[in-house]
Amino acid sequence: MLNHLEKIIFNALNDFLVFGGYTKIYLKRNPSWLNIFVDLELVLRNDCIFTNSEIQIISYRCASSRPRFTLFICILGEVHNLLLAHCYCTYRELFYRNCELADSQWKVQRAVNDVCYVLNTTFWNLGVFASSKGLMAGSLLIYMSNGDVINYKAPSFVPTNFTYIDRFETTASYILLVEKDTVFEKMLSTRIFSLIHENIILVTGRGYPDIASRWILQRLHREHRLAIYMLTDADPCGIEIMLTYRHGSLTQAANGLQLTCPYLKWLGIHPSDLKHLRIPTEPLVLNDCRKIEFLLRRKYVNTGVRQELKILKYCCRKAKLDNMSINKFQMFMCDYIINKIKRQIVI
């Protein structure tokens, strides 16, 4: 990796000395659904063959691409230093180091993605990480490569530098993944570990999942054969988040195998359950209806999920777990979650 990086830096600088501002760098445009396919494991993958329309050329001579070209060369140097020192940093740290070249963090993220494309690798292999936001609690110890041990007996954040994880130690029977941190906190306050009578790992990505949470879940499932049950709101956003954990995302399709759990079991809340559950509901808004149509157009969505989306569209009502009182939520955990897991009523 380091030799490849140094060769690219040398060639880029040498070309710049010879050709000046005419030096060109070929980059991939933002990912598109047009070059996405689904493999046998139903994981979203990025087609490695790109057409001319999907390749973008930047050069120093072109005024519109000069800032991107300059930042790209600068990030190459930053990554080189990280690899030499065997250390890591976050996107935020990179942004503060280069704020004179980038007026927003997303431009730094784009530059890192450009470097990843040129080197054909992932940002975490370059020592660059996004700040983690996921939370975990339960029967889990994480041993880091520097000797640190993270005990999740009390809830704690997932480690940002997830590739520095040496190994996991757990006696859990399965993983219970919840969509939101509010539900995560409710479960802890209602003593979920005592109610279930089993060792489990409780996880939340706090909405749309971060890379660290997805990577750790995939590794836990692969190394410890832990089933993953997911609880979401009965709404289009909750279903989309579940599909992201299961099949991957458009932006990370190139790294789908490392970030997906295709055998994840959707526990609920299923829209078809709303007629039996006495929980508050609210009408769908226009954006909800649009998202349902968008999800129904995705070919990898299986029959069960597709049917639930159609029910949601037909009944025009959604339900959020946050709207339940503590007492009702405790009953919901005993009657709905535990029974569904025992009877394997999942999609």
Side-chain angles (χ1 to χ4, degrees):
M1 174 72 76
L2 193 57
N3 289 337
H4 188 196
L5 176 59
E6 289 175 345
K7 185 178 179 180
I8 289 172
I9 294 174
F10 175 80
N11 289 339
L13 294 178
N14 188 58
D15 285 353
F16 194 79
L17 289 173
V18 174
F19 302 108
Y22 291 96
T23 301
K24 296 178 180 178
I25 296 174
Y26 295 83
L27 302 171
K28 179 171 66 71
R29 292 186 186 273
N30 290 334
S32 164
W33 287 105
L34 295 175
N35 61 343
I36 295 295
F37 68 97
V38 182
D39 67 11
L40 295 176
E41 295 287 328
L42 296 179
V43 173
L44 294 179
R45 303 294 299 280
N46 207 340
D47 196 334
C48 59
I49 300 173
F50 301 103
T51 62
N52 290 336
S53 63
E54 294 167 326
I55 298 296
Q56 184 172 5
I57 301 172
I58 62 171
S59 70
Y60 189 81
R61 181 176 176 81
C62 177
S64 62
S65 66
R66 186 177 299 153
R68 187 171 180 178
F69 180 95
T70 306
L71 187 58
F72 173 82
I73 297 297
C74 186
I75 294 300
L76 276 177
E78 292 275 11
V79 168
H80 182 259
N81 291 337
L82 289 174
L83 293 176
L84 274 179
H86 299 286
C87 60
Y88 68 93
C89 71
T90 63
Y91 283 112
R92 197 71 181 162
E93 289 172 304
L94 275 183
F95 169 64
Y96 284 130
R97 289 181 202 166
N98 300 280
C99 54
E100 71 282 358
L101 298 177
D103 55 10
S104 63
Q105 187 175 316
W106 79 264
K107 290 183 179 179
V108 171
Q109 291 176 306
R110 183 182 64 181
V112 172
N113 289 337
D114 291 341
V115 172
C116 290
Y117 170 71
V118 170
L119 293 174
N120 191 28
T121 190
T122 62
F123 59 83
W124 53 86
N125 285 336
L126 299 178
V128 181
F129 296 90
S131 298
S132 63
K133 63 189 182 76
L135 290 165
M136 296 195 294
S139 175
L140 178 66
L141 294 172
I142 292 183
Y143 293 84
M144 305 298 290
S145 57
N146 64 356
D148 289 346
V149 180
I150 308 172
N151 189 342
Y152 285 94
K153 187 175 182 180
S156 184
F157 286 101
V158 302
T160 294
N161 54 334
F162 52 87
T163 58
Y164 287 70
I165 293 174
D166 184 36
R167 63 187 175 90
F168 300 103
E169 187 176 298
T170 181
T171 57
S173 303
Y174 58 85
I175 297 168
L176 181 56
L177 173 62
V178 296
E179 177 188 348
K180 298 176 178 177
D181 53 337
T182 51
V183 178
F184 180 90
E185 290 163 6
K186 264 189 179 181
M187 285 186 164
L188 292 177
S189 65
T190 51
R191 300 182 179 181
I192 184 171
F193 300 115
S194 300
L195 287 172
I196 287 182
H197 302 299
E198 283 187 279
N199 288 334
I200 67 165
I201 302 170
L202 184 64
V203 183
T204 179
R206 301 170 71 198
Y208 283 91
D210 57 310
I211 299 298
S213 298
R214 291 168 60 188
W215 190 93
I216 287 172
L217 280 169
Q218 194 275 342
R219 187 171 165 187
L220 273 170
H221 169 75
R222 175 167 44 86
E223 293 182 3
H224 292 271
R225 301 298 178 190
L226 293 175
I228 303 174
Y229 298 95
M230 182 160 191
L231 185 68
T232 69
D233 290 335
D235 68 359
C237 286
I239 296 173
E240 184 177 41
I241 288 170
M242 181 275 295
L243 291 172
T244 300
Y245 280 109
R246 182 184 280 178
H247 302 293
S249 61
L250 175 63
T251 55
Q252 291 298 324
N255 311 310
L257 289 178
Q258 301 176 67
L259 299 174
T260 54
C261 302
Y263 301 106
L264 177 146
K265 301 174 181 181
W266 183 28
L267 193 63
I269 299 175
H270 302 146
S272 58
D273 294 334
L274 292 182
K275 59 185 177 183
H276 306 297
L277 295 172
R278 294 183 178 179
I279 58 176
T281 63
E282 54 190 86
L284 296 179
V285 297
L286 181 59
N287 283 341
D288 292 326
C289 298
R290 287 174 176 168
K291 190 174 287 292
I292 290 172
E293 294 299 331
F294 177 63
L295 294 175
L296 285 171
R297 287 197 296 270
R298 298 189 188 179
K299 294 181 180 179
Y300 62 85
V301 175
N302 68 26
T303 305
V305 176
R306 193 173 296 276
Q307 185 63 29
E308 294 299 327
L309 283 166
K310 289 178 180 177
I311 292 170
L312 192 63
K313 179 182 176 181
Y314 176 77
C315 69
C316 291
R317 306 289 296 181
K318 61 183 178 180
K320 296 182 181 293
L321 290 161
D322 317 58
N323 295 337
M324 280 192 248
S325 66
I326 289 291
N327 289 337
K328 184 164 281 191
F329 187 77
Q330 190 165 8
M331 291 175 60
F332 172 80
M333 283 202 301
C334 295
D335 294 339
Y336 187 87
I337 298 175
I338 297 174
N339 283 332
K340 274 208 159 190
I341 291 174
K342 285 181 179 178
R343 298 167 60 189
Q344 287 296 294
I345 306 174
V346 295
I347 296 176

